[in-house]
């Protein structure tokens, strides 16, 4: 396995009683360590990195722990946790790795809640957007989390360098991503649609873009579309293997950033299935 896992135990230090708690990532890290993956420690993203994506007032409010909503509490020091997670995404982008840092990011828009969503959905800074802007290359963002990445869409809508593809459960939080909008291609799917439908729609989504245009593929790798998880599309470990193969066949510089997925054991196994297939796509 040449894909490195980006992780710091520091990300386990908040939110013990929240569904987006440390256990999910701790368990995944244990599984991946046992399987022999090499781990790298990230550095926090700089303010310049954050400001390529977020407004200065919003960054300030996160810094002062002033941002609070029912899903996304204003934890003490959340700024430090959030910018270390963003730094994890940047390191993943630099080395072609997989960041399993938390908090997740794809619901965070420029100023917080995006496109009319009523909360920030456990997200503070948009990690994948920060990493994509850091590289600043023509990029295809593929979002396989079970929820629509409304923050990512808000940030990149109209950006000629970036195309955003999302497959997600609908209806569900955040309620966006029902139709294609410009460079943001949305594929809403019914709850528990299963492997076969997901597979077919992912093929359709990837064939609808000219992959040659892109230098980089950035994957918002959420695992809450796994059967029984928060946005189940009825996917299994095998499904994540199929997804990994399709990503590997694109043959591009690729990196992965964890989004959702709330059962640590599944997250760890699914990441392994995804990476193994991505590295051996034929
Ligand atoms: Zn999700």
């Amino acid at each position: 396995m040449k894909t490195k896992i980006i992780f710091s135990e520091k990300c386990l230090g908040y939110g013990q009683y929240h569904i987006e708690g440390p256990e999910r990532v701790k368990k995944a890290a244990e599984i991946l360590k046992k399987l022999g993956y090499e781990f790298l420690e990230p550095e926090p993203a700089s303010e310049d990195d954050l400001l390529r994506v977020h407004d200065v007032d919003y960054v300030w409010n996160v810094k002062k722990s002033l941002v609070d909503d029912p899903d996304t509490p204003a934890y003490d020091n959340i700024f430090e946790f959030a910018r270390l997670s963003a730094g994890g995404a940047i390191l993943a982008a630099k080395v072609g790795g997989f960041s399993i840092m938390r908090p997740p990011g794809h619901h965070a828009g420029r100023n917080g809640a995006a496109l009319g969503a009523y909360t920030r959905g456990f997200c503070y800074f948009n990690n994948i957007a920060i990493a994509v802007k850091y590289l600043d290359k023509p990029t295809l963002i593929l979002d396989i989390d079970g929820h629509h990445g409304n923050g990512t869409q808000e940030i990149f809508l109209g950006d000629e360098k970036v195309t955003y593809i999302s497959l997600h459960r609908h209806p569900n939080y955040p309620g966006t991503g029902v139709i294609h909008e410009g460079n943001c291609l949305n594929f809403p799917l019914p709850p528990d649609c299963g492997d076969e439908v997901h597979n077919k729609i992912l093929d359709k989504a990837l064939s609808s873009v000219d992959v040659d245009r892109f230098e980089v593929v950035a994957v918002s790798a959420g695992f809450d579309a796994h059967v029984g998880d928060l946005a189940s599309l009825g996917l299994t470990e095998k499904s994540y293997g199929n997804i990994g193969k399709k990503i590997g066949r694109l043959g591009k510089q690729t990196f992965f950033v964890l989004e959702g997925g709330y059962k640590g054991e599944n997250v760890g196994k699914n990441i392994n299935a995804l990476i193994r297939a991505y590295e051996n796509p034929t």
Side-chain angles (χ1 to χ4, degrees):
M1 288 112 28
K2 57 187 190 306
T3 304
K4 295 181 175 64
I5 303 297
I6 318 299
F7 175 68
S8 162
E9 293 210 344
K10 287 179 189 161
C11 83
L12 306 177
Y14 75 94
Q16 268 67 10
Y17 304 107
H18 195 289
I19 184 169
E20 195 290 286
E23 221 26 60
R24 55 189 287 264
V25 168
K26 191 174 173 220
K27 186 75 195 164
E30 275 168 23
I31 289 170
L32 296 167
K33 246 180 207 150
K34 243 184 231 158
L35 288 166
Y37 284 89
E38 191 184 328
F39 277 54
L40 296 178
E41 281 254 349
E43 295 288 325
S46 69
E47 291 210 22
D48 284 348
D49 295 328
L50 304 177
L51 291 171
R52 278 186 213 109
V53 166
H54 297 287
D55 285 354
V56 66
D57 291 353
Y58 178 66
V59 172
W60 173 261
N61 285 337
V62 178
K63 200 184 230 176
K64 296 289 166 197
S65 289
L66 293 173
V67 288
D68 191 62
D69 70 48
D71 282 343
T72 325
Y75 298 110
D76 288 344
N77 296 323
I78 190 59
F79 177 71
E80 293 303 330
F81 292 111
R83 76 181 182 125
L84 190 57
S85 187
I90 290 175
L91 183 55
K94 281 182 180 169
V95 303
F98 195 129
S99 174
I100 61 168
M101 295 291 288
R102 59 187 282 268
H106 73 154
H107 297 305
R110 232 171 261 118
N111 288 304
L115 304 180
Y118 56 95
T119 75
R120 284 167 294 123
F122 321 156
C123 300
Y124 298 85
F125 296 135
N126 195 310
N127 304 316
I128 198 140
I130 289 164
V132 166
K133 290 273 193 187
Y134 176 89
L135 287 181
D136 194 29
K137 291 177 175 172
T139 300
L140 174 64
I141 301 175
L142 176 62
D143 191 330
I144 57 165
D145 188 87
H147 299 95
H148 180 237
N150 54 323
T152 311
Q153 171 162 321
E154 186 200 83
I155 289 159
F156 289 108
L157 188 66
D159 186 326
E160 285 177 6
K161 254 188 188 165
V162 174
T163 294
Y164 175 69
I165 288 178
S166 177
L167 277 68
H168 48 268
R169 173 165 161 154
H170 180 78
N172 201 11
Y173 173 89
T176 51
V178 184
I179 53 164
H180 295 348
E181 292 179 63
N183 57 326
C184 297
L185 308 178
N186 293 311
F187 298 86
L189 294 166
D192 291 302
C193 62
D195 267 326
E196 218 172 294
V197 171
H198 191 273
N199 218 8
K200 209 173 81 192
I201 299 298
L202 181 56
D203 279 339
K204 184 179 161 193
L206 292 172
S207 65
S208 67
V209 294
D210 176 10
V211 175
D212 291 343
R213 273 189 51 219
F214 305 107
E215 283 179 46
V216 177
V217 174
V219 183
S220 255
F223 297 93
D224 50 19
H226 191 276
V227 63
D229 209 321
L230 216 55
S232 175
L233 294 171
L235 302 191
T236 61
E237 199 177 323
K238 190 170 148 260
S239 323
Y240 289 102
N242 287 332
I243 295 169
K245 264 189 195 157
K246 291 183 205 297
I247 296 169
R249 283 186 197 135
L250 299 175
K252 299 287 171 180
Q253 176 188 341
T254 301
F255 68 96
F256 303 84
V257 178
L258 182 65
E259 302 289 357
Y262 299 95
K263 291 178 181 162
E265 187 154 351
N266 291 341
V267 172
K269 288 179 179 169
N270 291 337
I271 289 174
N272 179 50
L274 185 80
I275 293 179
R276 291 181 88 97
Y278 156 70
E279 291 182 357
N280 303 285
T282 45

